[in-house]
Amino acid sequence: MLKASHRPERRTQSVSLTDCGAELTSEYGRLRVLAYGRGILRVTFTRESGFVRKPSAYLINRSCVRAREVREDDGFVYIATEKLSARIDKANGVLTVCDAEGRTVFAEGGLRTLEAFDARIIDRSRPALIERYETADGVKTRIREAEKIDYKRLYRARLPLRFCEGEALYGLGQPEGGSANLRGRTIYNCQTNKSIALPFMVSSAGCGLLVDCGCPFIFNDAKNASYLYFSAVEELDYYVIPGTGDEAVRGYHYLTGTPALLPAWAFGYIQSQERYETSEEMTALAREYREKGIGLDCAVLDWCSWPDGEWGQKDFDSVRFPSPAQLTQTLHGMDVHMMISVWPNMNRRTRDNAEFKEKGLLLPGGELYDAFDPDARALYWKQAKRLFDAGIDAWWCDSSEPWTSEWAREEKPEDSEIYYETLKTASDAVGADRGNAYAFFHARAIWEGLRGENTSKRVMNLTRSAWTGQQRFGTVLWSGDISAKWETLRKQVAIGLDMAASGMPFWTQDTGAFFVKQGKPWYWDGEYEQGFDDPEYRELFVRWYEYAAFLPVFRGHGTDIRRELTRLKGKEYGAVLRSNRLRYRLLPYIYSLAGLTCLNGGTLIKPLGFNYPDDETAINTDDEFLLGDDMLVCPVCEYAARTRKVYLPRGDWYELETGARVRGGGVYTAAAPLDAIPVFVRAGAVIPLSEGGVSVCEALSNKRELLVFPGADGEFSEYRDELDGYAYENGEYTLSRYVWHEHARSLTDENGSVLPCRIYGESKGDRTNAQ
C-alpha cells in the first residue's frame, strides 16, 4: 500500500515585524510584505531560506518606506500604507488588500504555490543542429538538437486571485483579439508577432498589480478558478499599487521609470511601406507630400536596406543607396526625418555577425546577438552607429520578440501550442526566467548607445515587443503584421487600450493593415485582392486612417500594395487629407499630453473605465477611447456606416462634427460621414490648437488658439520645450496652465490674468442623448 508523504503546513509559525512591514514563516515558505512609496505594497514569497537580494533589471529599485501601521493579533498580521491596508491570515498566509475606505481592491483567491525545478540551457560552447526556414517575417533559425547544461534552480509559481462582481481588468500588454476588459478570458502571455506580454494590469476596483519577473505566464479567469501562473521565477514578487486608471499607471511608472519623451516630430505622420528600395523613392515620397501639402514628418526605410544576401548587416546597399548621408540631408532639408529598420539577427555571411562570433556574443543558433550581455549591447550600438553617423533619426527594431515559431506554420496553431513552443525555445536560448524579456534589453542597447553620443536627438525606437520598464528607453510599440478586415480594425481599438493600461503610452499600428490580400500561410489573411481598386478596402483604409489620427503615434505601413496617401482619389483622398490636417492642428494638445505623461506618468489614450470606474457600461466599452481626459474618440468599424451609436459617460459633451451639446449617461447616435469619425469633447475642456502645418515643427511654431468647450469649470496645462534633446530632464520646459471659469465665462492663466480664447458652439442648442 502506498504511504502518503508529508505535505508542508501553511499555518504561520513565526512573525517578524519591522518599521516597513512584516515577514511570516510557515513550513511551506516565507512571506514578506513591505510598504513602498505612493502607498504601494510589495509582496514577496519564497521557498528558499532567504529572499533574492540582487536588484531587478526591470524596476528602478526604490527602497521600502516606513509603514503607517504594522501589527498582529491572534489571527492576522496587518500592514498599512497611507492608501492601502493588507491583512494576512495566519492560518494560511492568504492576503487581502483594502483601500483607505475599507473597500477590497485586491485579494488572493487561495494558496500561493511554488514548485521547484532545475532549469537547463543550451551549451553555447558545443555545436548544435540548426534548421533555417523562411517566413514573411524574414529568415529564421530553429535549433533541432543541442546539448544542454545546468542553468539554475527556479520555480513555477501560481498566484490565485479573487475578483469582485463587476470588476474590470485592463492591461497585460497586447493580448491578440478579445475585449479590452480581460475578465472571463484565458491569455497565454508570451511574445509573438502580434502579441506583446506585460505583467501589469489595472483593476476598476482601485488598484494595479505588477509582477516582477521575466518569464512567459498565463492569466486565467474561468468560472472555476482565477489565477496568474508564471513559468519560471526565483521567487513570487508582486506589487499592489493603489488607485484606479491613471493613478495606478503612475504608480507603475514610479516603480519602473517614467516614459522617455519622444522627439516632437514623432507625433506627426510617419509614412512607411514594405518597402522603399532606393534613395530616389525615399526623396520622391517626401517631395510629393510637400508639393501636395500633406503633413509628413518621417519616411521609413523597411528591411533589406543592407547589401543583397547580408540579412541584418548594418550598412546600406551601395547600389541602391550610394550616398546615405546625402539621402538624409535631402530629407532633412524638407523637414522630414528618416527611420531605418534594424534587426537583432545577422546571417553568418555578414561582417557584423563575424564580429559578434569572434567575441562569443551570439545566442545559440549563431545569428541572434545576446542582448542580455552589456558587451553585446555595446557592440550592437557600435555597429548601428554607422547608420547614425549617416544621419538616421530613428530606429525600427523589428522582430524584437525575437522568436516567432508560429510563423513557420501554414495553419495557425492553438494559443497554448504557441505558448509552450515559445517557452521552450526562449528557455533553451536565454534561460527560462528571461524568456519574455529579450526586447527590453534590445531596446536598452539603442537607448544606452544613443544617450552615450553627444547628440541633441531623442531616442525614437519603434519596436514590436516590450517588457516591464521598457517605456523609459524611448520605445514605441505596434501591433505587428495584422490583416485587412473590419473585424481587425475593431480589435485594434481594444488592444490599444490594453497596451495603454499596461504602462506603455506610445503605441501605433499598421494603418490599413499590413496584409491586404490573402496568401497561403494563415497569417497572410487580408480580404481585398484588388487593394485600392476595391471600394470597400478604400473605405476601410479611410476609417482606419481616421482612427489612427488620434493615436499617440500616427503611422501608415503595410505590404501587398503601395501605401502613399496619394494612391487614393476623390472623396477618399479628401477624407484622409482632412484627418491628416486635423492631426497637425491637434499637435499642441497631443504633444502636451505626451510631455505631461513623461513628467508625471500616466497615459495618452485610455479606456473609458479609467475615468468612470463606477459606470458599468463605461468599463465594458472598448470600441471608443479617451484621448487625454477631454476628448472621446469613436472609430467607425463597419462598412458603409454613416452613423454610429456611441456611449457617452455622465456630463455634457460636444459633438465635434455638428457642434451639438449632448448630455451624457447613455447611448447617442452620432453622425459619421465618410470624412469624419465621431469625436466628442467634454464640457469644461480647454484645447490648445495650431493653425496647422505640414510638419510638427511648423505646426508647433504657427499661431495657436485656445478653444474652450463651455458648460463646466475646467483646466488644461500646455507643455512646451525645445522639441528634441533631453534638456527637459533638467527642467528646461514650460507649463502654461489655462483655467476656464464657467460662472464668469472667462479663461485665465495660473496668475489669474484673463486670456483670449474662442468659445465653442455657443449658438448650438442642447440635445439630450438617447437612453
Side-chain angles (χ1 to χ4, degrees):
M1 183 177 292
L2 295 173
K3 183 178 181 180
S5 58
H6 174 68
R7 177 176 294 184
E9 287 284 342
R10 297 298 189 116
R11 179 171 293 279
T12 300
Q13 296 174 333
S14 66
V15 177
S16 174
L17 306 182
T18 69
D19 288 344
C20 297
E23 185 175 317
L24 293 77
T25 303
S26 70
E27 187 182 3
Y28 186 84
R30 302 161 70 92
L31 174 68
R32 183 181 64 191
V33 181
L34 298 172
Y36 270 57
R38 297 181 67 99
I40 295 168
L41 287 169
R42 179 184 181 185
V43 182
T44 314
F45 188 57
T46 183
R47 297 192 71 180
E48 298 291 330
S49 58
F51 297 98
V52 173
R53 300 182 65 87
K54 67 178 183 290
S56 167
Y58 316 113
L59 278 65
I60 56 175
N61 299 309
R62 299 185 186 275
S63 301
C64 60
V65 300
R66 186 183 184 93
R68 183 173 61 82
E69 178 186 53
V70 180
R71 65 182 178 88
E72 66 172 312
D73 59 25
D74 290 343
F76 299 93
V77 176
Y78 306 88
I79 301 99
T81 69
E82 67 273 19
K83 294 183 178 180
L84 295 177
S85 297
R87 187 188 69 178
I88 306 144
D89 191 335
K90 288 183 177 180
N92 52 24
V94 172
L95 176 141
T96 303
V97 179
C98 297
D99 64 14
E101 284 72 46
R103 295 173 298 215
T104 298
V105 296
F106 172 81
E108 294 181 339
L111 301 177
R112 291 170 241 95
T113 62
L114 288 170
E115 180 188 22
F117 69 100
D118 292 319
R120 292 172 65 78
I121 195 168
I122 289 174
D123 184 354
R124 298 193 208 178
S125 68
R126 305 299 294 273
L129 179 61
I130 306 298
E131 175 190 12
R132 295 171 62 85
Y133 58 97
E134 196 158 335
T135 74
D137 203 23
V139 178
K140 305 288 186 179
T141 60
R142 180 164 47 204
I143 298 174
R144 282 302 187 190
E145 293 181 18
E147 293 189 34
K148 296 182 183 179
I149 56 175
D150 291 339
Y151 175 54
K152 63 171 74 170
R153 183 179 177 86
L154 293 168
Y155 290 86
R156 301 179 185 95
R158 184 185 297 266
L159 176 61
L161 300 168
R162 176 167 58 85
F163 301 120
C164 302
E165 184 177 354
E167 181 177 352
L169 301 172
Y170 311 100
L172 296 185
Q174 183 183 275
E176 187 181 349
S179 60
N181 185 353
L182 306 174
R183 293 298 309 278
R185 296 174 63 183
T186 298
I187 302 171
Y188 293 90
N189 294 276
C190 63
Q191 314 292 13
T192 71
N193 182 294
K194 294 189 286 184
S195 295
I196 299 173
L198 289 164
F200 174 63
M201 59 184 178
V202 176
S203 166
S204 64
C207 78
L209 177 66
L210 169 65
V211 181
D212 187 9
C213 66
C215 63
F217 64 99
I218 299 169
F219 168 81
N220 184 72
D221 184 32
K223 289 183 178 180
N224 59 334
S226 300
Y227 58 82
L228 286 163
Y229 181 83
F230 299 92
S231 60
V233 295
E234 292 183 88
E235 61 189 11
L236 180 58
D237 192 13
Y238 70 86
Y239 295 79
V240 182
I241 302 168
T244 55
D246 274 315
E247 185 181 356
V249 175
R250 291 188 188 103
Y252 165 85
H253 287 147
Y254 169 82
L255 291 170
T256 66
T258 52
L261 184 56
L262 306 176
W265 64 258
F267 299 97
Y269 185 52
I270 299 172
Q271 181 64 67
S272 179
Q273 70 175 17
E274 193 280 307
R275 58 187 166 92
Y276 297 109
E277 298 189 33
T278 66
S279 293
E280 289 75 17
E281 279 192 283
M282 298 285 287
T283 55
L285 164 72
R287 288 195 184 97
E288 181 181 40
Y289 274 48
R290 287 292 177 258
E291 289 168 1
K292 295 184 178 297
I294 302 171
L296 176 70
D297 272 272
C298 182
V300 181
L301 184 57
D302 198 357
W303 60 7
C304 300
S305 56
W306 45 76
D308 289 346
E310 297 186 27
W311 187 282
Q313 177 69 17
K314 299 171 203 68
D315 288 308
F316 288 91
D317 180 275
S318 60
V319 176
R320 295 179 290 118
F321 302 96
S323 179
Q326 182 62 48
L327 168 60
T328 57
Q329 184 178 347
T330 300
L331 293 174
H332 292 164
M334 292 182 275
D335 200 9
V336 175
H337 301 79
M338 183 170 167
M339 175 186 287
I340 192 167
S341 171
V342 292
W343 290 61
N345 55 307
M346 302 146 279
N347 77 30
R348 296 166 187 261
R349 294 188 295 273
T350 63
R351 297 182 306 280
D352 283 357
N353 180 287
E355 190 173 11
F356 273 100
K357 183 178 180 180
E358 180 186 6
K359 297 180 184 297
L361 297 174
L362 293 170
L363 290 175
E367 296 194 346
L368 187 67
Y369 91 104
D370 183 1
F372 297 91
D373 188 315
D375 291 336
R377 294 197 298 273
L379 179 56
Y380 191 88
W381 175 254
K382 176 192 167 191
Q383 296 174 351
K385 189 176 183 297
R386 298 193 297 265
L387 303 172
F388 174 74
D389 289 342
I392 292 298
D393 303 290
W395 310 91
W396 182 359
C397 288
D398 209 342
S399 194
S400 56
E401 301 85 14
W403 300 280
T404 51
S405 57
E406 75 278 11
W407 279 49
R409 302 281 291 274
E410 184 175 325
E411 301 296 337
K412 187 179 187 299
E414 291 295 313
D415 289 347
S416 58
E417 190 177 354
I418 295 171
Y419 174 85
Y420 287 110
E421 185 166 350
T422 302
L423 172 62
K424 180 183 184 304
T425 301
S427 299
D428 286 349
V430 300
D433 56 338
R434 304 191 299 185
N436 264 354
Y438 186 92
F440 173 93
F441 291 94
H442 186 34
R444 188 171 168 180
I446 299 295
W447 174 261
E448 291 171 338
L450 190 56
R451 290 305 302 265
E453 301 293 329
N454 183 19
T455 178
S456 61
K457 290 182 178 180
R458 293 177 190 161
V459 176
M460 165 60 170
N461 178 359
L462 177 67
T463 182
R464 202 168 65 192
S465 190
W467 195 244
T468 306
Q470 191 170 307
Q471 73 281 347
R472 64 183 187 263
F473 297 147
T475 52
V476 177
L477 287 308
W478 98 97
S479 56
D481 297 336
I482 53 179
S483 294
K485 302 178 182 183
W486 288 97
E487 177 190 12
T488 304
L489 173 57
R490 168 68 181 79
K491 289 179 178 179
Q492 289 291 289
V493 182
I495 67 174
L497 298 180
D498 276 323
M499 180 58 74
S502 302
M504 301 291 161
F506 303 126
W507 180 83
T508 186
Q509 33 77 76
D510 293 352
T511 298
F514 184 76
F515 296 115
V516 174
K517 302 178 181 181
Q518 191 170 81
K520 182 178 181 181
W522 64 269
Y523 50 78
W524 206 311
D525 198 31
E527 295 183 342
Y528 303 97
E529 295 301 312
Q530 303 305 312
F532 281 135
D533 290 335
D534 187 323
E536 182 173 338
Y537 180 69
R538 292 199 300 272
E539 182 163 330
L540 174 61
F541 185 91
V542 167
R543 292 308 197 187
W544 216 311
Y545 195 87
E546 290 168 346
Y547 156 61
F550 292 92
L551 291 176
V553 175
F554 184 27
R555 167 181 169 271
H557 180 62
T559 192
D560 287 328
I561 62 172
R562 305 283 301 195
R563 295 307 175 95
E564 297 88 357
L565 301 182
T566 50
R567 300 283 164 169
L568 292 164
K569 307 297 179 186
K571 61 184 180 180
E572 289 95 354
Y573 177 67
V576 296
L577 196 59
R578 185 183 185 198
S579 289
N580 181 279
R581 289 171 176 166
L582 177 58
R583 171 69 175 209
Y584 280 83
R585 291 206 69 204
L586 284 170
L587 279 169
Y589 178 69
I590 292 170
Y591 191 55
S592 293
L593 294 178
L596 293 167
T597 297
C598 294
L599 292 177
N600 306 318
T603 61
L604 276 78
I605 63 170
K606 52 191 164 184
L608 273 63
F610 265 39
N611 284 27
Y612 305 94
D614 57 348
D615 182 331
E616 183 178 355
T617 303
I619 66 174
N620 289 297
T621 297
D622 60 8
D623 60 348
E624 311 168 9
F625 61 94
L626 292 166
L627 176 61
D629 292 322
D630 297 322
M631 196 168 286
L632 178 63
V633 182
C634 309
V636 175
C637 304
E638 181 181 346
Y639 181 48
R642 295 298 178 263
T643 63
R644 71 149 282 183
K645 293 185 183 299
V646 302
Y647 178 74
L648 296 176
R650 60 182 176 270
D652 282 5
W653 298 83
Y654 286 87
E655 188 175 13
L656 206 58
E657 180 65 17
T658 66
R661 182 170 165 179
V662 185
R663 188 170 298 115
V667 176
Y668 172 73
T669 300
L674 180 64
D675 63 352
I677 59 174
V679 177
F680 294 81
V681 182
R682 185 178 59 84
V686 182
I687 306 291
L689 291 175
S690 166
E691 285 185 339
V694 295
S695 70
V696 169
C697 182
E698 182 180 2
L700 292 181
S701 300
N702 281 346
K703 184 179 177 182
R704 286 172 168 81
E705 70 170 345
L706 298 173
L707 185 57
V708 173
F709 293 79
D713 292 338
E715 64 177 81
F716 185 77
S717 292
E718 184 177 3
Y719 174 89
R720 291 186 173 110
D721 65 12
E722 295 180 348
L723 307 185
D724 212 341
Y726 289 97
Y728 80 90
E729 293 179 337
N730 300 318
E732 294 184 30
Y733 60 86
T734 61
L735 287 177
S736 301
R737 183 168 174 253
Y738 310 128
V739 183
W740 171 250
H741 308 272
E742 176 65 21
H743 180 72
R745 305 285 286 182
S746 69
L747 183 72
T748 65
D749 63 17
E750 57 267 31
N751 299 315
S753 300
V754 176
L755 298 171
C757 65
R758 180 161 66 93
I759 300 176
Y760 185 85
E762 284 194 307
S763 63
K764 306 292 183 181
D766 287 350
R767 185 189 302 169
T768 303
N769 62 293
Q771 298 297 316

